[in-house]
Amino acid sequence: MEERTIKLMDVCRLRDTPIMTFVNKLDRDGRAPIELLDEIESVLRIQCTPVTWPIGMGRDLLGVYHLSRTGIYVYVPVEKGRSAATRPWTASRARRQGTPGAALRRLLEEVELVRGASPRFDLERYRAAANAVFFGSAVNNLACGSCSAPS
């Protein structure tokens, strides 16, 4: 975590500014999402409210799951230099379309853990300076743009 980010969070906290965190580069192997949330909370001293949750990471990235809309935004990689596509799917449609069962089982386990350990997104709480967390890959256009206004 960069020193400038830590200072910026201190300023946001002093001004009661809502924070939107984008955990980037899911298309690369990295640390587990729950570890990243723990680091954000401990280093920046802010509570995380995940809005989306990754399905896989690196070569195994399948997409992101919108926690309040219960929709899956499937990652469809394309040629370098072109945008990736996302399309909303429900979990049942993802199963029918062949999304690997192990990935769905792991997602459901992680979502249960996250829902038990994190507060649900609440717009009024967010406006009062909460932290909404999204996962994705900016370079591959997997930001779940239609998720930017959680319900």
Side-chain angles (χ1 to χ4, degrees):
M1 193 124 359
E2 294 182 13
E3 187 177 329
R4 292 183 336 196
T5 301
I6 296 169
K7 287 180 182 179
L8 176 61
M9 292 304 111
D10 289 338
V11 170
C12 289
R13 197 174 7 269
L14 287 171
R15 296 185 179 170
D16 293 328
T17 303
I19 300 165
M20 189 172 291
T21 301
F22 182 69
V23 179
N24 195 14
K25 300 182 183 176
L26 286 183
D27 56 319
R28 299 180 189 174
D29 290 323
R31 292 175 41 211
I34 200 78
E35 288 179 28
L36 296 172
L37 291 182
D38 285 344
E39 181 180 7
I40 291 168
E41 288 186 345
S42 64
V43 173
L44 300 180
R45 299 183 322 270
I46 54 175
Q47 186 177 38
C48 292
T49 302
V51 177
T52 62
W53 194 256
I55 307 168
M57 184 176 284
R59 279 182 252 120
D60 298 327
L61 178 63
L62 297 174
V64 293
Y65 178 78
H66 194 289
L67 292 161
S68 62
R69 292 185 182 159
T70 61
I72 295 173
Y73 290 78
V74 177
Y75 172 60
V76 182
V78 294
E79 300 171 21
K80 189 171 182 162
R82 296 182 59 204
S83 294
T86 59
R87 9 178 230 274
W89 284 8
T90 62
S92 61
R93 183 173 175 203
R95 277 189 208 99
R96 287 193 311 270
Q97 296 292 328
T99 302
L104 284 175
R105 280 191 300 279
R106 182 175 174 153
L107 169 67
L108 294 175
E109 289 170 6
E110 289 177 353
V111 164
E112 184 178 340
L113 174 67
V114 167
R115 283 190 172 144
S118 303
R120 260 184 91 89
F121 181 84
D122 176 84
L123 187 57
E124 292 307 314
R125 208 172 127 258
Y126 173 72
R127 288 180 178 152
N131 175 28
V133 180
F134 294 83
F135 290 85
S137 171
V139 74
N140 286 303
N141 198 29
L142 177 63
C144 199
S146 58
C147 298
S148 60
S151 31

